């Protein structure tokens, strides 16, 4: 079976870079996101199959799984769709922001995984094995002030990944987690800070953050390990980031990815 992978959150940032990297490495790729125009541009560039889907909508996720199965199946899944909104304290945060973060970072991850597991099992029967990688965050391993809902959501995504690995034990499906730290992408911090472009630049001032392409290179490398090698947890951050909350120049303003 041709190596074929589904990547969610593919319209920008780490997701788009991951689709490009897989394509460079000769993988067939299914690029999944909500924004059709961006998906079509990425598909024209890389040859990926674009599928518009909101991972928080169960009906759309079911259609995604059916379309992947009908168009050739898959041997890989990258759950990359996610996001953060707000840096308010637990006391002053918005429940709507927290719900939004849990819906995309946790519930969406679970929905896509559940819907695609039969497709991946079929791919594993034909090719020998399949792979799932969940993109979480260092924010899912260490809490920090202002992290609130994002910490909680990414800690939950980390837990789901661990449970899934136990549940699939004995099947030829490896489950991996990539937890990036400070990554400079065009939208993450801008969205988190509600469009404040000046504030969104501050976390990256006077440091060299990771680039999406660097994260994608590590991610794809994990998929290309031999079938018996499972990189359970990959923590990736720039040398300048000494912890989830700090760089060598002091606390981050928008607290990292």
């Amino acid at each position: 079976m041709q190596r074929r992978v589904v990547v969610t959150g593919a319209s920008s940032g780490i997701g788009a870079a991951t689709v490009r990297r897989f394509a460079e490495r000769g993988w067939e790729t299914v690029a999944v996101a909500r924004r059709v125009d961006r998906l079509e541009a990425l598909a024209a560039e890389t040859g990926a199959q674009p599928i518009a889907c909101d991972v928080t909508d169960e009906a759309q996720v079911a259609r995604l799984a059916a379309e992947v199965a009908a168009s050739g199946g898959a041997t890989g899944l990258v759950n990359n769709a996610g996001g953060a909104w707000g840096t308010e304290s637990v006391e002053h945060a918005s429940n709507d922001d927290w719900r939004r973060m849990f819906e995309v970072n946790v519930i969406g991850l679970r929905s896509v995984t559940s819907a695609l597991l039969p497709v991946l099992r079929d791919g594993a029967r034909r090719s020998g094995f399949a792979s799932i990688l969940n993109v979480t965050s260092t924010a899912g391993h260490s809490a920090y002030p202002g992290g609130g809902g994002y910490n909680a959501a990414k800690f939950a995504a980390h837990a789901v990944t661990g449970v899934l690995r136990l549940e699939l034990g004995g099947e030829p499906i490896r489950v991996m987690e990539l937890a990036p730290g400070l990554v400079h992408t065009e939208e993450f911090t801008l969205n988190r800070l509600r469009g404040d472009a000046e504030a969104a630049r501050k976390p990256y001032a006077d440091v060299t953050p990771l680039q999406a392409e660097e994260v994608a290179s590590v991610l794809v490398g994990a998929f290309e390990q031999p079938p018996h090698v499972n990189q359970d947890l990959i923590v990736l951050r720039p040398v300048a980031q000494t912890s989830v909350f700090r760089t060598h120049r002091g606390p981050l303003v928008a607290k990292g990815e």
Side-chain angles (χ1 to χ4, degrees):
M1 182 182 180
Q2 173 71 25
R3 298 182 300 177
R4 194 163 191 256
V5 61
V6 178
V7 180
T8 69
S11 61
S12 66
I14 293 171
T18 296
V19 170
R20 293 186 181 101
R21 181 64 176 174
F22 271 121
E24 290 170 1
R25 298 290 300 166
W27 288 67
E28 290 187 7
T29 307
V30 179
V32 179
R34 293 172 301 161
R35 293 178 288 187
V36 175
D37 56 339
R38 287 185 173 232
L39 281 181
E40 290 177 347
L42 185 64
E45 175 190 346
T46 63
Q49 176 185 353
I51 300 181
C53 176
D54 181 343
V55 301
T56 68
D57 185 316
E58 291 186 60
Q60 291 187 38
V61 170
R63 289 195 293 272
L64 163 67
E67 189 167 345
V68 171
S71 60
T75 55
L77 168 62
V78 178
N79 281 308
N80 171 71
W85 290 272
T87 57
E88 293 81 8
S89 67
V90 172
E91 179 181 5
H92 297 295
S94 158
N95 280 341
D96 287 340
D97 285 343
W98 279 51
R99 289 189 188 97
R100 187 178 184 188
M101 285 185 274
F102 268 82
E103 283 289 340
V104 67
N105 291 293
V106 186
I107 307 302
L109 182 153
R110 191 219 67 83
S111 294
V112 171
T113 302
S114 175
L116 282 173
L117 265 172
V119 181
L120 294 171
R121 288 191 175 105
D122 185 59
R125 281 192 291 270
R126 290 187 279 165
S127 67
F129 75 105
S131 303
I132 299 170
L133 186 146
N134 294 334
V135 179
T136 62
S137 171
T138 55
H141 297 266
S142 298
Y144 55 81
Y150 189 59
N151 282 144
K154 288 302 189 182
F155 266 84
H158 168 64
V160 170
T161 305
V163 171
L164 183 65
R165 190 178 298 117
L166 294 172
E167 292 174 346
L168 297 181
E171 296 190 48
I173 303 176
R174 60 183 169 193
V175 179
M176 302 175 285
E177 176 183 353
L178 174 58
L182 184 67
V183 184
H184 187 200
T185 61
E186 64 268 34
E187 294 185 323
F188 179 88
T189 304
L190 190 64
N191 288 338
R192 185 172 204 175
L193 298 177
R194 310 186 196 284
D196 187 335
E198 182 177 354
R201 286 191 291 270
K202 290 181 180 178
Y204 312 108
D206 300 320
V207 299
T208 303
L210 298 176
Q211 300 297 316
E213 293 75 16
E214 294 161 344
V215 179
S217 179
V218 171
L219 189 161
V220 174
F223 273 77
E224 294 187 333
Q225 291 289 340
H228 69 284
V229 176
N230 193 55
Q231 293 182 261
D232 286 20
L233 172 61
I234 305 166
V235 176
L236 185 68
R237 58 184 167 215
V239 172
Q241 188 179 12
T242 54
S243 75
V244 69
F245 179 50
R246 298 184 67 86
T247 71
H248 66 282
R249 293 188 179 276
L252 292 164
V253 176
K255 319 300 190 300
E257 295 191 59

